[in-house]
Every structure is written in C-alpha cells, then in structure tokens.
C-alpha cells in the first residue's frame, strides 16, 4: 500500500477530470461520487489516498550497434557506433488509479512520469 498525497486531492470547487469518479454511466470503485455543495471531510480525503502500490517498471533501455571494421575501413573511420536510449518507457501498476503516476515516489508528484528518448552517434576517424 502506498499513501499518495495527490491521490486524495478532492474538494467541492475543483474536481480533477483525470479521476475516475463513480457515476451512473461509469460504475467504478476508484473514487466515490462527488457531490457539489456537500462538504468533504478530512477522513474521507485521507481514505482516498491509500492504494495498492504494486508495480512493474522498466527504467532504462539502451540499444546500440557498432559497425564492423570491414565497413569502417571503406569509410576511413576507426569507430562508428549508433545508439538510442529511452528512460521510463513502461510502467504497469496494479491499481489503475496510479495511471501515469510514479509509484516509486508514492504518487505524490504533481506531474506525470517523464519519458526521455536520446539518439546518438559516436564516431572516431
């Protein structure tokens, strides 16, 4: 179980659209039906912040290829390597409430998990 501060953000004025609230057309159990004008108690907010924090995450993938010497000699090079790296490409969490959040920081960050892609070439002549 994790306790995510962002998961319990709920009030009567600002209703986040990313939350999967219960409605007649959407009978999920992620978040209770919100009622405008009704006060939300601290106990109700606190209970929403606890979710199953089980997850599987791939943090970094790097793929590279170094050209063979027979090709490099024709190009008059001593080394040529092409590579690509991606950070945070995949995260699967048991709770769909954690969608696009990082369970490693208890879903307390106010921003989604960033993905970074880098392409590069290492060349020597």
């Amino acid at each position: 179980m994790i306790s995510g501060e962002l998961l319990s953000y709920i009030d009567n004025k600002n209703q986040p659209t990313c939350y999967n609230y219960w409605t007649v057309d959407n009978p999920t159990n992620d978040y209770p039906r919100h009622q405008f004008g009704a006060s939300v108690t601290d106990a109700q907010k606190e209970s929403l912040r606890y979710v199953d924090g089980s997850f599987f995450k791939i943090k970094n993938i790097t793929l590279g290829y170094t050209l063979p010497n027979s090709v490099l000699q024709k190009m008059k090079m001593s080394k040529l390597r092409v590579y690509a790296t991606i950070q945070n490409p995949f995260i699967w969490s048991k709770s769909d409430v954690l969608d696009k959040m990082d369970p490693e920081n208890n879903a307390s960050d106010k921003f989604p998990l960033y993905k970074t892609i880098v392409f590069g070439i290492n060349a020597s002549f």
Side-chain angles (χ1 to χ4, degrees), residues 47-91:
S47 67
L48 294 176
R49 73 187 299 168
Y50 292 96
V51 296
D52 185 340
S54 303
F55 72 97
F56 177 79
K57 179 178 181 180
I58 298 177
K59 282 188 159 187
N60 193 353
I61 298 174
T62 300
L63 298 173
Y65 181 73
T66 303
L67 269 69
N69 287 333
S70 59
V71 175
L72 293 174
Q73 289 173 352
K74 293 177 185 176
M75 298 169 46
K76 298 184 179 179
M77 298 180 77
S78 60
K79 186 177 182 181
L80 182 63
R81 178 173 172 76
V82 181
Y83 66 91
T85 299
I86 183 168
Q87 293 178 328
N88 299 319
F90 304 106
I91 184 166

Side-chain angles (χ1 to χ4, degrees), residues 15-28:
Q15 299 293 333
T17 58
C18 62
Y19 287 177
N20 194 13
Y21 288 111
W22 185 96
T23 65
V24 174
D25 298 328
N26 184 32
T28 68

Side-chain angles (χ1 to χ4, degrees), residues 10-15 33-41 44:
I10 180 174
D11 65 23
N12 295 321
K13 296 176 185 167
N14 300 311
Q15 299 293 333
R33 178 180 67 180
H34 56 279
Q35 298 176 355
F36 293 104
S39 63
V40 178
T41 66
Q44 289 169 324

